[in-house]
Amino acid sequence: MRVWRRRDRMIQIKTPDEIALMREAGLITQRALAAMRAAVQPGISTGELDRIAEDSIRSEGAVPSFLGYRGFTGTICASINEEVVHGIPSRKRKLREGDIISLDCGAIFEGWHGDSAITLAVGSIRPEYQQLIDVTEQALWAGLAAALAGGRLTDISAAVEGSIRSHPHHYGIVDHYGGHGIGTEMHQDPHVLNHGRAGRGPRLVPGLALAVEPMVTLGDPDTRELPDGWTVVTTDGSYAAHWEHTVAITEDGPWVTTAEDGGFARLAELGVKVAQRA
């Protein structure tokens, strides 16, 4: 591992062996999300989803990234409907038919982090909510496809924004919150915006790992934080979706460490050829 120091940034560059450990953390995170996905239904509480995630992570010899982070009380962030990110799980909060929920989860394995998020429908939802979920996931993969060695950081940002803007509905792109570097800490430099002009920012080099996470709203992108000090909601009450994957820049292309197949299938659909990895 080495660290780049440029102006006020400290960017961690990992060795191949360290990226392999991040892959283990990523798969543990992926399996915790899969367990929650299978459990999501009307009537289940966000606290129960939190228990499922913690049990899954600890059963594999890993530790939840979020639990205790700056005083956060959950293993997951569970954000419902107009909540964008950082919703606090609670056994008193039960999902209802027609909700959408963002489940954000992270795991630490042998000192290395994985971080990923999905947004799911709870039962049957309105078509515009499903489209919001789909548009946000598509934007995530557009950003991941731009995570190519030799490029610049904002190539990812521009790809995310371009994907969202390609749809006729005027979706809101949440500012201030976005992706980040990741490695021995969950949040590292650089910050990864979900909008911007390509060709700017740090060079994308093998060994750089990033969490890419678009947050998209049906309405205005402005947000506010609730009095709990964590939960971020849209100011106009419009629904929001959030997707995230951790990706490692490699000489062979993006390696999505939190995707079961390393991102091979979805990246291939976007014309990015990468080696299939374990």
Side-chain angles (χ1 to χ4, degrees):
M1 177 182 70
R2 66 185 190 275
V3 175
W4 284 359
R5 287 181 171 86
R6 292 190 175 183
R7 297 180 184 176
D8 59 344
R9 290 196 184 101
M10 293 179 64
I11 298 176
Q12 190 180 74
I13 306 301
K14 291 80 174 171
T15 67
D17 286 345
E18 290 165 342
I19 293 295
L21 288 173
M22 291 190 68
R23 171 59 167 165
E24 293 301 319
L27 287 173
I28 291 166
T29 302
Q30 183 271 326
R31 287 190 284 266
L33 285 166
M36 287 188 288
R37 181 193 288 269
V40 164
Q41 62 180 336
I44 195 170
S45 72
T46 57
E48 177 63 13
L49 293 171
D50 188 78
R51 183 198 64 77
I52 290 169
E54 182 172 3
D55 287 352
S56 178
I57 290 168
R58 293 194 186 278
S59 73
E60 300 201 53
V63 177
S65 297
F66 298 178
L67 187 60
Y69 178 78
R70 297 184 179 177
F72 192 74
T73 57
T75 289
I76 64 169
C77 296
S79 307
I80 302 172
N81 298 339
E82 76 279 3
E83 297 170 357
V84 182
V85 285
H86 303 161
I88 302 171
S90 168
R91 290 191 176 273
K92 296 180 180 179
R93 187 113 189 254
K94 295 186 177 181
L95 301 184
R96 300 175 298 179
E97 182 86 15
D99 285 341
I100 67 172
I101 181 169
S102 164
L103 298 169
D104 192 356
C105 183
I108 310 168
F109 180 74
E110 296 190 11
W112 296 90
H113 287 258
D115 192 3
S116 186
I118 57 178
T119 299
L120 304 174
V122 182
S124 178
I125 63 172
R126 291 168 56 173
E128 60 265 37
Y129 299 160
Q130 186 60 58
Q131 186 173 25
L132 170 68
I133 292 171
D134 295 342
V135 164
T136 309
E137 185 182 14
Q138 290 164 9
L140 167 63
W141 284 100
L144 295 169
L148 300 171
R152 294 283 186 178
L153 181 69
T154 61
D155 296 351
I156 298 170
S157 307
V160 169
E161 181 179 13
S163 177
I164 296 165
R165 299 295 187 215
S166 70
H167 297 274
H169 181 85
H170 186 68
Y171 291 100
I173 302 174
V174 175
D175 203 359
H176 307 302
Y177 301 94
H180 49 87
I182 185 171
T184 53
E185 294 84 33
M186 180 166 55
H187 294 116
Q188 299 179 332
D189 290 331
H191 182 55
V192 186
L193 291 170
N194 290 313
H195 58 85
R197 185 183 299 176
R200 298 180 175 183
R203 184 76 66 184
L204 300 178
V205 298
L208 176 62
L210 302 168
V212 179
E213 50 179 322
M215 304 166 198
V216 181
T217 69
L218 266 178
D220 194 280
D222 289 344
T223 61
R224 62 184 178 89
E225 189 177 87
L226 295 184
D228 64 21
W230 284 102
T231 309
V232 177
V233 301
T234 58
T235 55
D236 64 0
S238 62
Y239 279 24
H242 170 214
W243 284 82
E244 178 183 18
H245 269 307
T246 299
V247 61
I249 311 300
T250 80
E251 293 178 356
D252 299 323
W255 188 8
V256 185
T257 59
T258 47
E260 185 175 14
D261 69 344
F264 179 85
R266 290 296 297 266
L267 291 171
E269 291 174 5
L270 295 171
V272 178
K273 295 181 178 180
V274 296
Q276 280 191 291
R277 301 177 174 95

